[in-house]
């Protein structure tokens, strides 16, 4: 989790993103990473209501959920932003 948050904190300073982290006993850990209102700039990316959805998943295992988010964010940046 720490590695992901450090990476995200550094990235957000030069590449604006939104991050939502939540937990509840029904959905477990949920992480959403998105770019608000940027779907027009990334037409081949997954989008919802004009926002680019970079990662949206949940898992009972907190560490696994953060690891998946970390990998997905880096893969998305490699595909759509020429790296990170």
């Amino acid at each position: 989790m720490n590695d992901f948050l450090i990476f995200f904190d550094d990235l957000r300073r030069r590449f604006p993103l939104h991050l939502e982290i939540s937990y509840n006993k029904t959905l477990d850990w949920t992480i959403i990473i998105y770019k608000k209102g940027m779907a027009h700039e990334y037409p081949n990316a997954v989008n919802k209501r004009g926002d680019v959805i970079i990662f949206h998943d949940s898992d009972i295992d907190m560490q696994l959920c953060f690891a998946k988010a970390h990998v997905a964010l880096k893969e998305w940046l490699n595909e759509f932003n020429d790296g990170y």
Side-chain angles (χ1 to χ4, degrees):
M1 177 173 78
N2 260 359
D3 291 340
F4 169 73
L5 292 174
I6 290 168
F7 175 74
F8 188 90
D9 187 46
D10 178 56
L11 179 63
R12 66 152 180 100
R13 297 170 198 268
R14 54 191 157 79
F15 191 77
L17 294 166
H18 292 265
L19 173 65
E20 296 180 17
I21 300 169
S22 62
Y23 174 82
N24 70 55
K25 65 182 182 177
T26 306
L27 296 174
D28 304 314
W29 289 95
T30 301
I31 300 175
I32 306 169
I33 305 169
Y34 62 100
K35 288 187 72 63
K36 187 130 182 95
M38 300 300 286
H40 64 281
E41 289 195 23
Y42 303 95
N44 295 326
V46 175
N47 68 73
K48 182 177 182 181
R49 296 186 199 123
D51 299 339
V52 175
I53 307 300
I54 296 169
F55 180 79
H56 185 178
D57 199 6
S58 61
D59 202 292
I60 192 168
D61 184 325
M62 179 188 71
Q63 290 179 328
L64 180 57
C65 195
F66 277 91
K68 290 190 296 187
H70 198 161
V71 169
L73 177 56
K74 287 185 172 182
E75 287 178 342
W76 189 92
L77 289 167
N78 281 333
E79 182 175 350
F80 293 99
N81 196 53
D82 296 328
Y84 47 91

